């Protein structure tokens, strides 16, 4: 299954999937990643198109339209489930860190 291959998501992967909760093309995805991460995460074309290909091959996203060289994508239910699992995993990590730094785990 796709989840095993993508056990944890890199930041670019996470933000690409977050961007694809709305249908968009490659250029729009790069812009959305920049906006969603407040400029902290940059995704270049090489990384983006390699990830889109892997995500599409694994049923995490689907191509919704194609016009010339432009292709539009949208996250699938499988991808949305994976994104939510990653969100929950990150929340647990942040809470663990909060407890540690506040002295609750000492």
């Amino acid at each position: 299954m796709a989840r095993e291959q993508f056990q944890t998501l890199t930041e670019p992967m996470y933000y690409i999937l977050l961007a694809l909760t709305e249908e968009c093309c490659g250029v729009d995805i790069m812009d959305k990643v920049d906006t969603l991460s407040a400029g902290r995460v940059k995704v270049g074309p090489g990384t983006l198109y390699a990830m889109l290909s892997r995500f599409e091959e694994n049923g995490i996203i689907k191509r919704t339209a194609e016009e010339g060289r432009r292709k539009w994508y949208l996250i699938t239910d499988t991808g949305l489930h994976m994104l939510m699992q990653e969100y929950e995993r990150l929340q647990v990590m942040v809470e663990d860190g909060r407890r540690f730094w506040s002295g609750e785990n000492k």
Side-chain angles (χ1 to χ4, degrees), residues 21-67:
T21 57
E22 296 177 350
E23 182 183 42
C24 44
C25 67
V27 173
D28 294 336
I29 295 167
M30 288 187 281
D31 290 342
K32 285 181 85 169
V33 167
D34 186 57
T35 300
L36 289 167
S37 69
R40 194 175 47 77
V41 177
K42 304 285 186 204
V43 178
T47 299
L48 175 65
Y49 292 106
M51 287 312 315
L52 290 175
S53 178
R54 284 182 61 205
F55 285 155
E56 191 175 16
E57 288 169 8
N58 285 278
I60 296 166
I61 64 170
K62 63 182 175 185
R63 189 177 310 171
T64 56
E66 191 169 341
E67 185 179 300

